[in-house]
Amino acid sequence: MINLELILPCLEGNEDHIFYKGDTSLLKNMCKKCEYFSPLRFFMNKHYKDFRLERCCEVEIKNRGKQPEAIFVNKSNPNEKIVIEVKSQLQMFATDIKRDEKETSRRKRFEKKIINDIAKNTFIKANELLEKFNIVLPTDLESIFLRGYVLSISRIPENVELMGKRFGVRRSVVEEILSYKGEREKRLIDAIAGKNVQFLVNNIIDCGLNGADKFSIYHEYTIDKLSFMLQKADIDSDFSVRYIEYPSGVRDYFIPTKEAIEARMYKRFEECKLKFSNYMSSEYKRILLIENENHYLKSNMLEILQNIEVPGYIDELWSSFYIIEEVWNEKIEDFEDTIVGVEYIKIYPA
């Protein structure tokens, strides 16, 4: 069990509670969620080790207008403080912020509904087709032939070389599937389930007629600009679906949309103008930390961010980036890109 007093300065048992001037704490049910727990704690512990949490402004000082996330104080100098705001940089869908927020909402729906619908429809339609063929599978064979599969969805790379530069996929698999709306979305899900069912049922029939040596452990197919691999996983697991944000190797030359990132950043700057307005004295260092929640290649993101003009009321601009490595996956017996950590890079001043 986690001992929160070892982590949260707002709790009296924490060794850094002497620096905390706030009235709120997580255990008093005054916070809907703890902003300090992550990512603030990781960032500050790594890059500002001598600073301690003084106050969670956004939770506590609501009667003074828009507030930043938190204030930190130098444990050796009470007159040296950091005020920090944390903002997310989600996958960019458009330069239009309202549309971007709408698409982000649809992305969450995609993960909750569309992914589940593919798995559910595959299993239901496979059983319907088996019933049509008068094939009844015992429970143990059902776990072998219908369950224990994972369907991986990725985007087909579109490599183009122009004037010595290499360009690739400009939309992730999520954005591609989200472009299917209404009836097109339903037809896509039905088409995916249909391809899965065709393979699963043919596998059952082939093994029934020709023996277990005809059992096939994987099946690949494409629909439009999407690539699918249906592969045997654990016998004890259910049928599941996962998606690969970008095809293997595509991230090496994927270029995020400059206009989209700039539009989102300028909105973040305007929000900080209000939130930092009460902390403009020399006592405070004002930091905007961008939580970069996408898989854009770091060098491409840095090139865009480092060329954005940062307003004077922001002293430092930082951005997080996923650390992605190829890790061996025993289940699929192959390497796959895996997030192994997060790093924070100062964008401004360089």
Side-chain angles (χ1 to χ4, degrees):
M1 184 176 178
I2 297 176
N3 185 350
L4 291 176
E5 288 189 336
L6 296 176
I7 301 172
L8 302 180
C10 62
L11 303 182
E12 293 182 4
N14 188 277
E15 62 178 356
D16 293 325
H17 187 69
I18 57 173
F19 301 101
Y20 187 71
K21 307 301 182 186
D23 297 321
T24 61
S25 76
L26 190 66
L27 296 189
K28 291 179 183 177
N29 296 323
M30 300 181 77
C31 313
K32 292 182 179 179
K33 64 176 181 176
C34 183
E35 297 289 356
Y36 172 77
F37 193 83
S38 174
L40 270 181
R41 180 169 62 98
F42 297 124
F43 171 74
M44 293 300 295
N45 287 348
K46 187 167 185 178
H47 295 284
Y48 289 97
K49 295 179 181 178
D50 293 333
F51 286 76
R52 299 294 182 265
L53 181 66
E54 182 180 273
R55 193 182 299 273
C56 292
C57 309
E58 197 169 43
V59 174
E60 193 163 312
I61 320 177
K62 293 185 176 180
N63 62 335
R64 290 170 55 190
K66 294 284 187 179
Q67 292 293 323
E69 230 76 54
I71 299 173
F72 291 81
V73 60
N74 190 323
K75 64 180 182 179
S76 302
N77 181 3
N79 294 317
E80 184 182 356
K81 299 182 180 183
I82 289 175
V83 59
I84 188 166
E85 175 67 7
V86 181
K87 289 294 184 183
S88 294
Q89 182 83 292
L90 297 173
Q91 196 75 30
M92 290 298 122
F93 293 92
T95 56
D96 185 320
I97 298 298
K98 290 183 179 179
R99 179 169 178 259
D100 184 32
E101 291 172 349
K102 180 180 178 182
E103 294 293 351
T104 299
S105 175
R106 291 187 70 240
R107 180 192 181 103
K108 293 178 181 178
R109 172 183 169 276
F110 161 80
E111 293 177 345
K112 289 182 178 179
K113 181 179 184 296
I114 296 179
I115 289 291
N116 290 338
D117 280 355
I118 292 171
K120 182 178 71 176
N121 287 6
T122 295
F123 192 74
I124 290 174
K125 290 186 176 183
N127 277 296
E128 288 176 349
L129 189 56
L130 289 174
E131 185 178 344
K132 190 175 181 180
F133 290 154
N134 292 319
I135 298 175
V136 178
L137 288 179
T139 303
D140 57 339
L141 290 183
E142 183 181 278
S143 66
I144 293 173
F145 286 104
L146 294 185
R147 301 185 185 276
Y149 278 92
V150 58
L151 176 68
S152 299
I153 311 175
S154 61
R155 180 77 157 73
I156 299 174
E158 296 175 291
N159 297 327
V160 178
E161 194 162 321
L162 180 63
M163 299 179 66
K165 292 185 178 181
R166 195 180 183 195
F167 299 88
V169 172
R170 287 195 174 271
R171 291 204 297 192
S172 70
V173 63
V174 177
E175 293 167 296
E176 182 65 31
I177 292 180
L178 285 176
S179 70
Y180 291 77
K181 300 178 181 180
E183 280 299 312
R184 287 188 72 231
E185 177 189 293
K186 183 180 182 302
R187 286 197 297 269
L188 177 66
I189 293 174
D190 288 344
I192 295 170
K195 294 276 189 180
N196 297 337
V197 169
Q198 184 179 16
F199 165 73
L200 294 172
V201 173
N202 284 346
N203 215 15
I204 294 170
I205 294 173
D206 285 346
C207 289
L209 294 175
N210 303 307
D213 60 328
K214 294 296 182 181
F215 182 79
S216 181
I217 62 171
Y218 77 95
H219 174 58
E220 293 181 88
Y221 61 92
T222 61
I223 297 176
D224 296 337
K225 296 179 181 179
L226 296 165
S227 176
F228 302 83
M229 174 179 281
L230 185 57
Q231 192 164 15
K232 190 63 181 167
D234 294 336
I235 291 178
D236 294 332
S237 66
D238 210 335
F239 188 99
S240 61
V241 181
R242 67 175 187 172
Y243 63 92
I244 302 168
E245 190 75 6
Y246 296 101
S248 177
V250 168
R251 189 163 40 250
D252 294 338
Y253 53 86
F254 181 79
I255 302 174
T257 305
K258 177 176 178 288
E259 293 77 13
I261 292 173
E262 286 180 344
R264 176 51 61 93
M265 288 302 299
Y266 290 141
K267 183 185 180 185
R268 297 309 188 207
F269 292 160
E270 284 299 310
E271 291 167 343
C272 284
K273 186 176 183 179
L274 292 174
K275 295 196 172 196
F276 288 160
S277 60
N278 294 317
Y279 306 93
M280 296 301 294
S281 68
S282 59
E283 180 184 14
Y284 297 99
K285 175 183 285 187
R286 296 166 295 275
I287 296 178
L288 171 58
L289 172 61
I290 299 297
E291 279 296 296
N292 187 37
E293 300 175 6
N294 56 52
H295 291 201
Y296 293 144
L297 182 65
K298 181 172 67 176
S299 61
N300 287 332
M301 277 291 289
L302 283 174
E303 183 179 356
I304 295 172
L305 291 174
Q306 288 170 343
N307 284 287
I308 291 177
E309 185 175 352
V310 179
Y313 49 83
I314 295 174
D315 295 311
E316 290 183 5
L317 173 63
W318 291 73
S319 180
S320 69
F321 292 92
Y322 289 132
I323 301 172
I324 301 174
E325 296 179 359
E326 281 195 340
V327 177
W328 181 258
N329 187 322
E330 291 288 347
K331 292 182 179 179
I332 65 174
E333 295 185 340
D334 197 2
F335 287 98
E336 64 178 355
D337 286 348
T338 303
I339 297 173
V340 297
V342 176
E343 63 177 328
Y344 295 93
I345 294 179
K346 186 192 286 187
I347 308 298
Y348 172 85

